[in-house]
Amino acid sequence: MKKIILSATLLTSSFFYAQIRVGIESNNQYYLDDDKIKIEENEAEDRLRSNTYIKVDYFKNKWEFGTQVESYYPKAIINYNPDLQDVNIGTIYARYNDIENGVNITLGHFYEQFGSGLILRSWEDRALGINNALFGMNAKLRLTKNLDLTALGGKQRIGMGFDFSDSYVLGTNLEFNAADALKLENTDLRFGASYVGRLNEEKVTEYEGINDLTNAFSGRFNLGIGGFNFGTEYIHKQKDIVIANEDYIDGSFLEGNAILVNIGYNKDNFGSSVNLRRMENMTFYSDRKLAGNQYNKGVINYIPALTKQYDFSLQNIYVYQAQGGINWFEKRNGEIGGQHDFYYDFVEGSLLGGKYGTHLAVNGSYWGGLKSTYDFTNNELEDEFLKFGEKYYSDIAVEVRKRWSPTFQTITMYMNQYYNAPILEGKFDDVKTDIVSVEGLYNFSETSSVRLQVQNMWASADKGDWGAALLEYVPNTMFSIYVTDMYNYGNSHAESRIHYYSVGGSFSKGATRIAVNYGRQRGGLMCVGGVCRYVPESNGLTLNLTTNF
């Protein structure tokens, strides 16, 4: 009897070693009309919109359990996936994680990425309204000290937690650390191989020759020696129907492929990198009928734009989106191009470094379509492997960061840009821009500062020239306030010139942050990590809350 009581006491005591984590994020907007911007008529009934996420995770020994409850009430923020409605479970999972023996098994919703993501990536990004979690099983096993295996299968979330696409996603991935196996010193050498399959739940009979199982394969390796790094990945996607605008193009069956090359060198105060990619017909959805949807529903793989993610607002008006698919009607086939980064730190005391040093960064990119020949009669397509077709986008930017004193520093940037608006957005004229941006930051103390940004864009078309300014004051570690404005003063239609002003602030303490702002939002593409969603023009009040405990 004493043993039973002692055992119960130990079990009860061990319970308190468990850990619970809770994260809350709430994004709320109240939309207003003014003399320049009015909410769309079909959206006007519900002016208060809210996206709220409550994530709870429980950890005990080698076990983890978690769920995310999501609320889109009374409606989701404008231009989010309309399938996100009311209050419901977003994700739920149970996981056994034995780190020592290399076993990690998840049942329920999970996120995964193979390689660069060009063959598979399921992820969540609340700012974009993306949650492509898979629901099923994900098993990670360490086969040997240097060889890891991942095997997964399930259905993909396309709406709320238990709203799935009409197919299964299957996958395996192998990672081999060759440098460790060969005991190579000062060298990183890794190999990887992946398989992803989409299995239709119902047999497709209306299209002759179509497979119920569509397969994709990839291989990659990465070599790092000293400051040098080289990596490459190749993906092949099995022949499948080409789809545009969520409609089948009867009789068009094409393979997809992509090749990615990354080269970099970093040593001391110098660094340089080049990223090259060629893709054709690489859009991959868990349901063919989801192809081309604007909410990224059902996307199996990850094809971000390989361009620099710029910090200044005017630099993000004409942003490039990766062109991984095929559009027969516009004679658009994939993309080919790349980007480069270069930086150099002029050391303190040198001629260009001055007393406190100077940081120089140069970035540029070029993207075009593949040079292709279209046979509409036979629904056939031929392309020349490394030849460029029509130019889509290019940019080059020079940035200088300079500290002038212990309390004052500046950022100065120049950017030149070409944007093929007829191809990328269906507008009439392509756009060429020159953008100058200057920022100054003055620190009153270690916790107090003021920041001023001034920008100007000279644009050849569309809405013409723009100007922008931002002033931010941080009195201490808890508070910040700002005021900003963007104005398309060069618009040829005077009545369409709009001040996109905004004023707001935030309060932060520990893991809690509250931000409030009022003002206008410029319509266009909003991008995170090279993936974009369209946001409409709006005016109103925004309240954001995040906290963790």
Side-chain angles (χ1 to χ4, degrees):
M1 186 67 175
K2 290 182 180 179
K3 291 183 179 179
I4 296 176
I5 293 173
L6 178 60
S7 176
T9 303
L10 289 172
L11 287 171
T12 304
S13 176
S14 67
F15 173 80
F16 293 101
Y17 289 99
Q19 184 179 21
I20 296 177
R21 297 178 187 170
V22 179
I24 301 173
E25 179 179 333
S26 184
N27 304 303
N28 308 273
Q29 291 188 344
Y30 187 82
Y31 297 92
L32 298 168
D33 294 332
D34 61 28
D35 59 339
K36 289 286 188 177
I37 297 176
K38 298 185 184 298
I39 191 172
E40 294 182 10
E41 190 173 333
N42 62 324
E43 302 282 8
E45 184 176 344
D46 295 291
R47 291 181 176 270
L48 176 62
R49 306 294 183 95
S50 178
N51 296 3
T52 299
Y53 312 86
I54 302 174
K55 192 173 189 302
V56 181
D57 296 290
Y58 172 80
F59 303 86
K60 187 174 186 299
N61 299 327
K62 298 176 182 179
W63 290 93
E64 303 173 23
F65 303 89
T67 186
Q68 179 168 287
V69 178
E70 301 176 12
S71 170
Y72 303 92
Y73 187 82
K75 278 190 176 180
I77 291 172
I78 290 178
N79 218 51
Y80 272 70
N81 180 355
D83 294 335
L84 302 176
Q85 299 177 6
D86 302 324
V87 181
N88 210 326
I89 293 175
T91 59
I92 188 168
Y93 76 93
R95 178 175 299 127
Y96 176 77
N97 187 10
D98 185 350
I99 298 176
E100 292 181 359
N101 295 304
V103 177
N104 185 309
I105 299 175
T106 302
L107 297 176
H109 288 93
F110 60 88
Y111 304 100
E112 185 57 84
Q113 177 171 324
F114 292 168
S116 68
L118 278 171
I119 190 170
L120 172 72
R121 187 192 188 200
S122 58
W123 82 104
E124 179 187 33
D125 193 304
R126 295 169 183 173
L128 296 176
I130 294 176
N131 193 324
N132 292 333
L134 293 169
F135 184 84
M137 185 183 76
N138 186 20
K140 296 176 178 291
L141 305 173
R142 187 188 306 138
L143 301 181
T144 69
K145 179 183 176 183
N146 305 299
L147 183 63
D148 295 319
L149 169 70
T150 299
L152 60 84
K155 288 198 163 190
Q156 190 177 50
R157 168 182 165 166
I158 59 173
M160 294 297 276
F162 300 105
D163 183 11
F164 302 124
S165 61
D166 294 331
S167 65
Y168 294 93
V169 177
L170 312 171
T172 58
N173 182 68
L174 277 172
E175 297 283 349
F176 177 55
N177 188 338
D180 190 54
L182 299 173
K183 302 186 184 308
L184 301 176
E185 296 184 0
N186 302 317
T187 300
D188 180 29
L189 179 60
R190 298 173 186 268
F191 294 88
S194 304
Y195 162 79
V196 175
R198 179 193 62 206
L199 179 63
N200 281 42
E201 189 172 20
E202 296 182 7
K203 187 174 179 62
V204 180
T205 58
E206 62 266 40
Y207 295 95
E208 184 180 351
I210 190 172
N211 295 316
D212 297 325
L213 178 62
T214 304
N215 301 303
F217 305 89
S218 76
R220 59 192 174 274
F221 82 91
N222 190 83
L223 172 65
I225 302 176
F228 174 78
N229 184 79
F230 176 81
T232 186
E233 182 175 17
Y234 177 76
I235 300 93
H236 177 84
K237 182 162 70 81
Q238 190 178 37
K239 212 177 246 193
D240 193 17
I241 292 178
V242 176
I243 306 173
N245 301 320
E246 303 183 43
D247 293 319
Y248 292 130
I249 299 178
D250 191 11
S252 304
F253 298 89
L254 296 174
E255 295 178 342
N257 61 78
I259 184 168
L260 173 69
V261 178
N262 301 312
I263 306 171
Y265 180 78
N266 295 277
K267 186 176 182 180
D268 300 328
N269 56 336
F270 168 79
S272 181
S273 66
V274 177
N275 310 108
L276 306 171
R277 186 172 68 192
R278 179 196 184 277
M279 294 193 301
E280 63 173 317
N281 195 26
M282 270 306 296
T283 53
F284 199 11
Y285 292 85
S286 57
D287 187 334
R288 290 185 178 97
K289 294 180 181 179
L290 293 174
N293 78 87
Q294 63 177 313
Y295 306 109
N296 291 300
K297 290 194 302 181
V299 173
I300 292 177
N301 59 343
Y302 177 61
I303 49 175
L306 290 184
T307 57
K308 182 177 174 64
Q309 307 300 298
Y310 292 100
D311 297 327
F312 292 93
S313 57
L314 296 187
Q315 297 169 336
N316 289 289
I317 291 180
Y318 300 106
V319 289
Y320 179 67
Q321 289 193 90
Q323 304 295 305
I326 296 175
N327 189 313
W328 282 74
F329 304 113
E330 297 178 5
K331 293 187 176 181
R332 252 191 303 141
N333 179 21
E335 68 172 23
I336 183 171
Q339 70 164 342
H340 68 84
D341 279 294
F342 165 89
Y343 79 83
Y344 189 85
D345 287 322
F346 296 94
V347 298
E348 299 173 4
S350 64
L351 178 64
L352 295 178
K355 184 175 180 180
Y356 298 97
T358 302
H359 177 82
L360 171 68
V362 180
N363 174 270
S365 65
Y366 183 99
W367 293 96
L370 300 177
K371 188 173 180 60
S372 304
T373 302
Y374 298 82
D375 183 347
F376 289 95
T377 303
N378 298 309
N379 288 307
E380 293 180 353
L381 172 68
E382 291 185 6
D383 60 75
E384 300 181 53
F385 185 65
L386 291 178
K387 288 198 175 180
F388 287 75
E390 185 172 2
K391 181 179 178 180
Y392 291 164
Y393 177 88
S394 69
D395 66 23
I396 186 166
V398 179
E399 175 186 289
V400 178
R401 293 177 179 258
K402 175 70 176 174
R403 179 177 292 277
W404 300 91
S405 74
T407 58
F408 182 64
Q409 57 186 304
T410 60
I411 302 173
T412 305
M413 285 193 69
Y414 166 75
M415 179 180 180
N416 175 270
Q417 192 178 39
Y418 169 82
Y419 185 80
N420 191 331
I423 287 291
L424 300 175
E425 290 191 41
K427 295 181 178 179
F428 291 106
D429 300 307
D430 54 7
V431 183
K432 299 175 183 178
T433 72
D434 292 282
I435 306 169
V436 174
S437 308
V438 179
E439 175 180 296
L441 175 66
Y442 183 82
N443 295 289
F444 299 104
S445 68
E446 292 183 356
T447 60
S448 178
S449 65
V450 63
R451 179 167 64 109
L452 175 65
Q453 279 184 7
V454 180
Q455 307 172 63
N456 197 82
M457 172 197 284
W458 295 269
S460 64
D462 197 25
K463 295 183 179 181
D465 300 341
W466 288 76
L470 176 145
L471 179 64
E472 180 186 48
Y473 174 55
V474 180
N476 51 50
T477 57
M478 292 190 295
F479 291 95
S480 71
I481 56 175
Y482 78 91
V483 59
T484 183
D485 187 25
M486 297 173 60
Y487 182 46
N488 59 329
Y489 66 89
N491 198 321
S492 58
H493 302 284
E495 68 279 4
S496 297
R497 296 172 186 169
I498 300 177
H499 282 278
Y500 294 95
Y501 56 80
S502 178
V503 59
S506 66
F507 168 79
S508 301
K509 187 173 183 179
T512 299
R513 183 178 185 272
I514 301 172
V516 180
N517 70 75
Y518 169 77
R520 293 168 171 171
Q521 176 178 273
R522 180 188 64 84
L525 293 174
M526 185 191 76
C527 304
V528 179
V531 177
C532 307
R533 78 175 179 94
Y534 176 78
V535 296
E537 287 190 335
S538 64
N539 176 48
L541 181 69
T542 301
L543 171 65
N544 304 108
L545 165 68
T546 58
T547 187
N548 295 278
F549 54 88

